[in-house]
Structure formats: structure tokens, C-alpha cells
């Protein structure tokens, strides 16, 4: 599916506030509500819009201890380790990477002891050779929004 300028504008508005009513988007873009509704449905069905959700404040919820964990696995086994890591609720992101390690995780916990427990579990996974952990001291920028400049 080829995205046109209107599609990009819809995505930009919804990314900024997923609760924006489609009628409000239609008003902003000076288009009919039915047209915007149809386009938004198409963007969802094609997978451009994966989900709508609230962005919670981890500090207020006291889930603000962040660590980045690099994992080295037995050769050729990183995918099965990654699939097992999906089940760990404190792991927010899992990336297959290049370099000295095979996987990199972003982990968020309430207390350091939870991080210690998680690292102990991961270290016991079959095929995990080594982990290396960096604990974040301060969050300077954390953004989920994509740069949707219409200059594409």
C-alpha cells in the first residue's frame, strides 16, 4: 500500500494523541468523516497502526529502574533465547544485534533486587553464555513517537 500525504497526516495526528476522534481529524484535514474513517481502518488493517494505548509515567508508578542487558548465546541459538525472553514481563524490548553480543534488552523494574532476580533467571537459560548489564542513572529522553515528517 502506498501512503499519500493524507495518510501521513492521519498517522501524525493519531501518533500525537490516539484518542483523537476521527471526526476531529476530518475537521482538521477539511475532509469527510467517512473518508477519514475508511482511511484509518485501512491503515489499521495494513498494519501501519498496530495499537492504541495510554503512555504511563514509570516514575509515578515507581517502575523506574531501567537497565540494558546484552546477552551472548551459544552459536545459532539467539532466536530461541529471544523467544523465551518474550515471556519475561519486565523486559520491554528485545533486539537481535551485531557486535560482541547477540541480543540487547531494555528492562524496567521497581527495585534493583528484581533486576538481580531477572538476571539470575536469564543466566540459567539454556544456551545463554554471558550477560552484561548497564543500569541507567537518569532518563534524558525516552520517545516512542516516530519522526513522521511529510518530506518523504
Amino acid at each position: 500500500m502506498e501512503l499519500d500525504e493524507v495518510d501521513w497526516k492521519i498517522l501524525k495526528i493519531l501518533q500525537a494523541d490516539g484518542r483523537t476522534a476521527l471526526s476531529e481529524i476530518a475537521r482538521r484535514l477539511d475532509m469527510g468523516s467517512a473518508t477519514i474513517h475508511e482511511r484509518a481502518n485501512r491503515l489499521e488493517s495494513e498494519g501501519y497502526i498496530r495499537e492504541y494505548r495510554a503512555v504511563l509515567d514509570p516514575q509515578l508508578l515507581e517502575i523506574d529502574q531501567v537497565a540494558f542487558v546484552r546477552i551472548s548465546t551459544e552459536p545459532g541459538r539467539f532466536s530461541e533465547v529471544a523467544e523465551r525472553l518474550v515471556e519475561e514481563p519486565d523486559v520491554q524490548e528485545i533486539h537481535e544485534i551485531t557486535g560482541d553480543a547477540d541480543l540487547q534488552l531494555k528492562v524496567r523494574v521497581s527495585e534493583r533486587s528484581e533486576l538481580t532476580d531477572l538476571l539470575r533467571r536469564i543466566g540459567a537459560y539454556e544456551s545463554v553464555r554471558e550477560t552484561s548489564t548497564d543500569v541507567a542513572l537518569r532518563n534524558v529522553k525516552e520517545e516512542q513517537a516516530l519522526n513522521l515528517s511529510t518530506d518523504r
Side-chain angles (χ1 to χ4, degrees), residues 81-93:
V81 172
E83 292 304 317
R84 184 162 177 202
L85 288 165
V86 168
E87 304 301 320
E88 295 286 353
D90 295 325
V91 175
Q92 288 191 300
E93 299 178 14

Side-chain angles (χ1 to χ4, degrees), residues 16-112:
D17 183 358
R19 296 187 312 168
T20 304
L22 296 179
S23 58
E24 171 62 17
I25 295 172
R27 187 192 65 72
R28 288 187 202 175
L29 300 181
D30 195 27
M31 298 181 75
S33 291
T35 300
I36 297 301
H37 191 271
E38 181 181 303
R39 282 176 174 258
N41 283 343
R42 190 181 79 238
L43 290 166
E44 289 174 20
S45 68
E46 293 287 331
Y48 289 96
I49 299 171
R50 294 195 311 205
E51 59 186 74
Y52 297 90
R53 61 183 160 158
V55 178
L56 307 179
D57 188 313
Q59 283 188 297
L60 289 176
L61 295 168
E62 297 181 356
I63 309 172
D64 58 350
Q65 302 293 312
V66 176
F68 298 93
V69 180
R70 286 174 308 285
I71 300 173
S72 298
T73 66
E74 298 295 332
R77 308 293 296 270
F78 58 89
S79 288
E80 67 187 57
V81 172
E83 292 304 317
R84 184 162 177 202
L85 288 165
V86 168
E87 304 301 320
E88 295 286 353
D90 295 325
V91 175
Q92 288 191 300
E93 299 178 14
I94 304 169
H95 303 275
E96 293 180 358
I97 60 172
T98 62
D100 295 337
D102 300 303
L103 301 168
Q104 179 159 319
L105 315 179
K106 178 181 177 185
V107 174
R108 189 180 298 273
V109 294
S110 298
E111 299 177 13
R112 294 274 165 84

